[in-house]
Amino acid sequence: MFDKVLIANRGEIAMRINRACHEMGIKTVAIHSTADANAMHVRMADESVCVGPPAARDSYLNIPAIVTACEITGANAIHPGYGFLSENARFAEIVGEHGLVFIGPKPEHIRLMGDKIQAKKAVQGLGIPVVPGSDGGITDDHEAMRVANKIGYPVLVKAAAGGGGRGMKVAQNEGELSMALSTARSEAKAAFGDDAVYLEKYLQLPRHIEIQVLADSHGKVVHLGERDCSLQRRHQKVWEEAGSPALNATARDKIGRVVTDALTKLGYLGVGTIEFLYENGEFYFIEMNTRLQVEHPVTEMVTGLDLVREQLRVAHGGAIDFNQEDVTFSGHAIECRINAENPATFRPSPGLIKDFHVPGGLGVRVDSAAYSGYRIPPFYDSLIGKLIVHGRNRTECLMRLRRSLSEFVIDGIETTIPLFQALVTEPDIIDGNYSIHWLEQFLKRRSA
Ligand code: ADP
């Protein structure tokens, strides 16, 4: 196993990776910006290196500084976490060129899945069903109209380089299409430096259901079931569950097999998530994430597996030491993303946390790097912690979530805890009866 791993991230995910390393007897190196010198992820690691000033582009995205930090400390592998450099194929290559191990998939697979047009083509060729849409990128408006008429309105214009829900525009009819195209193109250009877009049928009431996979370098691929991430705001996940209230064991096994077959053919390595929209009993691929995801803990809670431990093992060349039949799903888990934001307007609320008290007890897990007296810097995203609860069934899980939310104290800043307190008492949520549009409609009703 690796002697020392550098964690190229911050916040709760850096803490999460640090925990797995320490449980495996691996030494850790934290990196940090000048704004994070006193951060908890730095204190928990065995060593730390300052890699630059507050702006992420100068620190957490500073490839030369990060590689140098490895050389100075003698770390032999880099775990990128999520966000930042985790889906940067060139970074993965550079890490390899320096004789270090990138804890993640092969660079060519990161690159392939990072271009959503190429990704869709590739997975379709591997037998995964995709959302009907353009065969490739759309360059002129006439072609867009032809495709839209064929698949039928409403259609969604999406950015090839898209991520974080940006660069997506709906056109209800032909009149709205050229506007949607030009807005999506300019948003994509501004956000990703790439204005390539493509068209998809806009599904009306789907759920977002994703399949977690794990692959080793010996040709074994297993799936670890699904997560339902339908509760979203601005196409970004807010609440995630394992399993999905909409799926039974037969449907799970079926899609799981499709996905593991495809990734076996691809020769994939590491953890990954295949994201689908699910409507009327059918799955439609939207994208693949070639990294650990924010919502991975709900899968850990129902499978009992440590995904970061598995990542480290397969990155080191180890074989997955269980078979698909050994993966069992026990009970139900829900994760709430607690953000430092106003729970109604979602305006960021950085600043000093005066008091921080986390809930506990059976089936309760809090992944966070916050503490009493911590000052949230204004430079990074607003996720300050994840509350993950597990119960023997969904009802127990919801009651435990309700109880845990009432114990959670975060004073001094605004957080999204009150939003989750409202959600756990909503009949549709209790019944598991929601699509990807449910939360936006709920928020609209509440602000009216
Ligand atoms: P990103 O990479 O920006 O996260 P995704 O392709 O993963 O973009 O889509 C994010 C979310 O946008 C989905 O979970 C879903 O809510 C919505 N979405 C994406 N494609 C479609 C579609 N064809 N029809 C309806 N909603 C969609």
Side-chain angles (χ1 to χ4, degrees):
M1 193 29 73
F2 306 114
D3 297 326
K4 205 186 261 188
V5 167
L6 181 138
I7 303 165
N9 217 298
R10 64 183 299 282
E12 71 85 18
I13 197 61
M15 300 273 288
R16 168 71 191 87
I17 298 159
N18 195 72
R19 286 180 175 134
C21 290
H22 280 175
E23 286 181 17
M24 297 170 79
I26 300 169
K27 293 258 185 302
T28 55
V29 180
I31 59 161
H32 64 88
S33 67
T34 50
D36 277 342
N38 294 317
M40 191 58 89
H41 81 273
V42 177
R43 293 194 224 171
M44 288 291 158
D46 297 301
E47 291 169 73
S48 65
V49 178
C50 180
V51 288
R57 66 173 179 279
D58 300 322
S59 51
Y60 295 102
L61 296 171
N62 184 342
I63 297 176
I66 293 169
V67 172
T68 307
C70 268
E71 283 167 354
I72 293 169
T73 57
N76 22 58
I78 299 184
H79 195 308
Y82 54 66
F84 295 130
L85 294 166
S86 61
E87 287 173 299
N88 183 323
R90 186 63 199 127
F91 176 62
E93 277 165 1
I94 291 171
V95 170
E97 287 159 11
H98 283 79
L100 304 164
V101 175
F102 178 78
I103 299 167
K106 298 168 193 162
E108 68 258 34
H109 292 151
I110 302 176
R111 189 166 283 127
L112 175 68
M113 298 303 171
D115 179 331
K116 294 168 83 172
I117 296 173
Q118 295 307 325
K120 231 178 132 172
K121 273 192 197 155
V123 303
Q124 195 170 19
L126 295 167
I128 293 181
V130 303
V131 186
S134 53
D135 285 336
I138 289 280
T139 43
D140 76 275
D141 288 19
H142 290 293
E143 189 196 350
M145 275 175 203
R146 196 182 48 75
V147 175
N149 283 326
K150 200 172 121 209
I151 58 178
Y153 288 93
V155 295
L156 187 61
V157 184
K158 296 174 81 169
R166 282 168 305 171
M168 247 185 266
K169 285 283 163 285
V170 184
Q172 295 293 342
N173 49 52
E174 195 168 296
E176 290 180 11
L177 186 57
S178 48
M179 188 56 149
L181 282 164
S182 63
T183 323
R185 276 197 196 105
S186 53
E187 254 186 52
K189 182 85 192 159
F192 314 111
D194 175 0
D195 68 356
V197 297
Y198 62 109
L199 273 195
E200 253 175 22
K201 173 131 190 97
Y202 184 64
L203 300 181
Q204 299 287 307
L205 284 174
R207 300 183 77 111
H208 173 118
I209 297 182
E210 56 187 36
I211 308 293
Q212 175 70 55
V213 294
L214 168 67
D216 67 19
S217 55
H218 308 275
K220 187 188 260 185
V221 182
V222 294
H223 77 85
L224 306 178
E226 82 283 10
R227 293 184 287 261
D228 193 317
C229 314
S230 301
L231 288 174
Q232 303 179 351
R233 179 178 166 267
R234 298 195 170 163
H235 306 301
Q236 292 199 50
K237 299 160 190 167
V238 169
W239 155 309
E240 302 100 346
E241 310 196 23
S244 167
L247 229 60
N248 59 29
T250 316
R252 173 188 302 138
D253 287 350
K254 194 171 157 210
I255 191 67
R257 240 189 331 269
V258 169
V259 163
T260 48
D261 285 352
L263 293 189
T264 307
K265 278 185 231 158
L266 191 65
Y268 191 74
L269 173 67
V271 301
T273 302
I274 312 270
E275 297 193 336
F276 293 98
L277 295 178
Y278 181 71
E279 194 174 61
N280 302 324
E282 299 291 337
F283 284 94
Y284 304 95
F285 170 90
I286 45 173
E287 70 163 341
M288 175 167 190
N289 290 132
T290 51
R291 55 171 165 80
L292 188 69
Q293 286 194 282
V294 177
E295 60 272 24
H296 77 277
V298 289
T299 298
E300 297 186 321
M301 301 302 269
V302 296
T303 60
L305 291 164
D306 178 334
L307 263 65
V308 179
R309 178 176 185 276
E310 297 305 327
Q311 279 191 296
L312 290 159
R313 289 190 67 252
V314 299
H316 192 258
I320 300 170
D321 58 2
F322 54 88
N323 297 319
Q324 186 66 59
E325 313 81 78
D326 304 324
V327 180
T328 52
F329 304 97
S330 162
H332 194 88
I334 297 176
E335 173 181 279
C336 297
R337 297 191 187 194
I338 316 274
N339 286 346
E341 287 171 356
N342 177 288
T345 63
F346 300 96
R347 194 167 26 89
S349 174
L352 180 68
I353 298 180
K354 294 202 195 86
D355 201 6
F356 189 77
H357 173 83
V358 298
L362 181 65
V364 179
R365 164 175 173 182
V366 177
D367 280 18
S368 175
Y371 54 90
S372 295
Y374 174 59
R375 186 175 287 281
I376 302 168
F379 310 106
Y380 313 106
D381 73 17
S382 56
L383 182 76
I384 44 164
K386 307 184 302 203
L387 170 61
I388 305 113
V389 293
H390 180 255
R392 286 173 300 173
N393 51 51
R394 191 165 182 273
T395 308
E396 187 177 89
C397 190
L398 282 166
M399 291 306 286
R400 187 160 285 154
L401 178 57
R402 198 184 290 198
R403 185 272 290 172
S404 306
L405 286 164
S406 74
E407 285 180 13
F408 215 145
V409 178
I410 306 179
D411 272 348
I413 56 157
E414 292 181 300
T415 77
T416 47
I417 291 175
L419 168 67
F420 294 113
Q421 284 176 313
L423 289 178
V424 282
T425 60
E426 277 295 307
D428 282 344
I429 300 294
I430 293 168
D431 294 342
N433 178 27
Y434 53 81
S435 78
I436 58 167
H437 303 299
W438 190 93
L439 184 59
E440 295 274 6
Q441 283 157 3
F442 170 79
L443 294 170
K444 215 180 274 170
R445 282 200 302 279
R446 283 229 305 180
S447 65

